[in-house]
Amino acid sequence: MADPKAQPQAAMLVIGDEILSGRTRDSNMHFLANELTRHGVPLAEVRVVSDDHDVIVAAVRELSARYDHLFTSGGIGPTHDDITADAVAAAFGAHLDVRDDARALLQAHYDRQGSDFNAARMRMARIPDGATLIDNPVSTAPGFTLENVHVMAGVPSVFQAMVASVLPTITSGAQMLSQSLTVHRGEGDIAGPLAELAAEFDDVSFGSYPFIRNGAYGSNIVARSTDAARLDAAMTRLHALFPPAGA
Amino acid sequence: MADPKAQPQAAMLVIGDEILSGRTRDSNMHFLANELTRHGVPLAEVRVVSDDHDVIVAAVRELSARYDHLFTSGGIGPTHDDITADAVAAAFGAHLDVRDDARALLQAHYDRQGSDFNAARMRMARIPDGATLIDNPVSTAPGFTLENVHVMAGVPSVFQAMVASVLPTITSGAQMLSQSLTVHRGEGDIAGPLAELAAEFDDVSFGSYPFIRNGAYGSNIVARSTDAARLDAAMTRLHALFPPAGA
């Protein structure tokens, strides 16, 4: 049987006052969660913090130490509130300055655009010593990987492109498989039998996600395992426990 | 001038494997962020964690100690994976058992429905000693407030109803006011002047939120302050710095 512990674990740090104030609805978390699930590197924790240097440094240290990978989103643009590169460098005691490889990429980009490669834009060429650049096919300014921390932009189209650049560099884990069953009964009716099944299949994780639709209670029961045969066996039992109404 | 430090700060803890796996897209964070901003109790940090007792206990302890209020979402239903009440009680060393007030609410509800008030449903009447019930006009099963932790359901309609029940019980802070300006220029062009303005108005917080629309770069610049006059002064300067194209 596949060992679910063979899965490396990831965390995400979303940096941005605009998410916490409710001004912007984050979409990067949901995107990354799906990509990591598919890659066999489950997302184990997410934090959303404000644009505060010390808070970011502390979160980067804690999450990079606890998990195999940390993905950050936001705060790597040219404006004064873009402080993620500084904070990640500080978290690892790495020197941060304009780096020739990043500067060359940006210089070529702004030359093509006919834009001025000014001091603010030069900020985006500041990359910590020892970091690897993350390709940005959307708007050129690179992200970077320092130790196990992958630093990416907050703009969703750029974030998604950077995730696509980074994931192939990350060892994938055992694929977590999932199957689900929608039961049109209140959770209170299914909880007892479901708990017994969960105790019997202790290598399959069962979640129950209730909903209220048109005034009626129901629940999506999701079973997850890295072992396809055990998952099938669990689902067979689940279908027998909760047959469709009228069956 | 109003002191922005007169604002109490809040944190949120989202509990649920289904968010981390990407199966469900969380909407409670965005809802709560807006409600708290309006109430003058800014959301300073959000964490999303899995259905793991020890992880929830540690997060509740840390966030309730660090912030004035902690709001939790998810894990208070009748199924085996609903462990939030246990974890919050454990975080404060509070005794947890079926409580008469919650049981009476649920008994009346299931009597009206003609449903069986079984052992699983009785789990939802387990409320820590010393906690205050949070009214649930949608589906009756109450949330609770223990110390400075407000424990609420994950189903969005129920979560929203519980937020409406809780907020009037929380002292509101100074209202954070915000105004924004959309500038159709790349962030690299506005970063320099914006940083100078931000340094001059150190009691106003400026954020720059870039976007790419139809292939063109732009940014929403958001200024925030609890002082209306200073905010107006900052916006006047901002409009002068970045006049509309063609003006």
Side-chain angles (χ1 to χ4, degrees):
Chain A
M1 185 186 98
D3 176 9
K5 297 216 174 82
Q7 294 193 302
Q9 290 201 312
M12 179 182 191
L13 181 63
V14 179
I15 295 150
D17 292 343
E18 76 276 24
I19 310 285
L20 293 167
S21 72
R23 208 191 146 275
T24 299
R25 182 192 289 264
D26 169 73
S27 64
N28 292 336
M29 175 170 87
H30 184 66
F31 177 82
L32 184 64
N34 275 306
E35 292 296 305
L36 287 174
T37 296
R38 206 168 293 138
H39 201 67
V41 181
L43 189 57
E45 179 170 350
V46 178
R47 294 193 190 176
V48 187
V49 298
S50 64
D51 302 330
D52 180 301
H53 179 83
D54 293 349
V55 168
I56 300 170
V57 170
V60 167
R61 284 190 179 143
E62 195 177 330
L63 295 172
S64 67
R66 187 174 302 167
Y67 300 102
D68 299 292
H69 293 281
L70 171 62
F71 297 82
T72 78
S73 160
I76 62 168
T79 58
H80 66 286
D81 56 338
D82 289 307
I83 60 175
T84 300
D86 305 77
V88 172
F92 289 102
H95 177 72
L96 178 76
D97 207 341
V98 170
R99 225 171 69 175
D100 289 343
D101 51 355
R103 178 167 50 190
L105 284 173
L106 287 163
Q107 182 76 63
H109 173 70
Y110 292 117
D111 284 353
R112 277 193 306 272
Q113 282 200 337
S115 300
D116 177 26
F117 190 16
N118 61 20
R121 291 187 167 121
M122 190 72 82
R123 274 175 60 82
M124 296 190 287
R126 291 156 69 243
I127 303 288
D129 285 356
T132 309
L133 300 187
I134 296 176
D135 187 38
N136 170 5
V138 176
S139 54
T140 305
F144 62 83
T145 294
L146 180 63
E147 304 281 347
N148 62 344
V149 183
H150 312 286
V151 175
M152 300 182 291
V155 176
S157 59
V158 182
F159 180 83
Q160 292 170 21
M162 288 184 171
V163 170
S165 300
V166 164
L167 276 190
T169 72
I170 290 175
T171 306
S172 58
Q175 180 83 38
M176 182 61 81
L177 307 168
S178 72
Q179 293 188 45
S180 68
L181 176 68
T182 300
V183 180
H184 291 283
R185 294 163 63 181
E187 272 199 307
D189 285 329
I190 63 181
L194 181 62
E196 285 171 30
L197 191 65
E200 186 185 330
F201 283 80
D202 61 357
D203 52 345
V204 176
S205 138
F206 293 88
S208 171
Y209 306 112
F211 59 80
I212 305 172
R213 207 170 286 155
N214 302 325
Y217 293 87
S219 181
N220 292 306
I221 305 175
V222 180
R224 294 189 298 157
S225 175
T226 52
D227 186 310
R230 287 289 287 169
L231 186 60
D232 284 342
M235 288 306 293
T236 299
R237 292 284 303 281
L238 200 59
H239 280 273
L241 275 177
F242 306 114
Chain B
M1 184 186 96
D3 176 7
K5 297 218 174 80
Q7 294 193 299
Q9 289 200 312
M12 179 182 191
L13 182 63
V14 178
I15 296 150
D17 292 342
E18 76 278 22
I19 311 285
L20 292 167
S21 73
R23 209 190 146 274
T24 300
R25 183 191 288 264
D26 169 73
S27 63
N28 293 335
M29 175 170 88
H30 185 66
F31 177 83
L32 184 64
N34 275 307
E35 292 297 305
L36 287 175
T37 297
R38 207 168 292 139
H39 201 67
V41 181
L43 188 57
E45 181 171 349
V46 178
R47 293 193 191 176
V48 187
V49 297
S50 64
D51 302 329
D52 179 300
H53 179 83
D54 293 348
V55 168
I56 300 170
V57 169
V60 167
R61 284 190 178 143
E62 194 176 331
L63 294 172
S64 67
R66 188 175 301 169
Y67 299 102
D68 299 291
H69 294 280
L70 172 62
F71 297 82
T72 78
S73 160
I76 62 167
T79 57
H80 66 285
D81 55 339
D82 288 307
I83 59 175
T84 301
D86 305 78
V88 172
F92 289 102
H95 178 73
L96 178 76
D97 206 342
V98 170
R99 226 171 69 175
D100 289 343
D101 50 354
R103 179 168 49 192
L105 284 171
L106 286 163
Q107 182 75 62
H109 173 69
Y110 291 117
D111 285 352
R112 275 194 306 275
Q113 282 201 336
S115 300
D116 177 25
F117 191 15
N118 59 20
R121 291 186 166 120
M122 190 72 82
R123 274 175 61 81
M124 295 191 286
R126 292 157 68 244
I127 303 287
D129 284 357
T132 310
L133 300 187
I134 297 176
D135 188 36
N136 170 5
V138 175
S139 54
T140 305
F144 62 83
T145 294
L146 180 63
E147 303 282 344
N148 62 344
V149 182
H150 312 285
V151 175
M152 301 183 292
V155 175
S157 59
V158 181
F159 180 83
Q160 292 171 19
M162 287 185 173
V163 169
S165 299
V166 164
L167 277 190
T169 71
I170 290 175
T171 306
S172 59
Q175 180 86 36
M176 181 62 80
L177 307 169
S178 72
Q179 293 188 45
S180 68
L181 175 66
T182 300
V183 180
H184 292 281
R185 294 163 64 183
E187 271 198 306
D189 284 329
I190 63 181
L194 181 61
E196 285 173 30
L197 191 65
E200 185 186 330
F201 283 81
D202 61 356
D203 53 345
V204 176
S205 138
F206 293 88
S208 172
Y209 307 111
F211 58 80
I212 305 171
R213 208 169 286 154
N214 302 325
Y217 292 87
S219 181
N220 293 307
I221 305 176
V222 180
R224 294 189 298 158
S225 175
T226 52
D227 186 308
R230 288 289 287 170
L231 185 60
D232 284 341
M235 288 306 291
T236 300
R237 293 283 303 283
L238 200 58
H239 280 273
L241 274 177
F242 306 114

